[in-house]
Amino acid sequence: MAGFHNILVHNYLGNIDPSTIATVIDQHFPALQACMQTMLTDK
C-alpha cells in the first residue's frame, strides 16, 4: 500500500496511466477492504 502511494505521489515511474491505476484498484481493493473490515470487527 505504501509503495503504491509513493509511486503515485512521487511519480517514480514517470507518467502514470489512469487505466493502470484502475486495474490495480479493481484487482486489489476488494482484498484490502475485506482485510480492513476484519481488523475493524475484531477490535
Side-chain angles (χ1 to χ4, degrees), residues 9-40:
V9 171
H10 301 293
N11 201 17
Y12 288 145
L13 301 177
N15 292 330
I16 304 296
D17 178 24
S19 65
T20 300
I21 295 171
T23 300
V24 169
I25 291 169
D26 288 343
Q27 290 180 0
H28 298 285
F29 185 76
L32 175 62
Q33 184 178 23
C35 179
M36 296 300 294
Q37 188 62 43
T38 299
M39 290 171 61
L40 290 171

Side-chain angles (χ1 to χ4, degrees), residues 22 42-43:
D42 286 348
K43 231 178 165 183

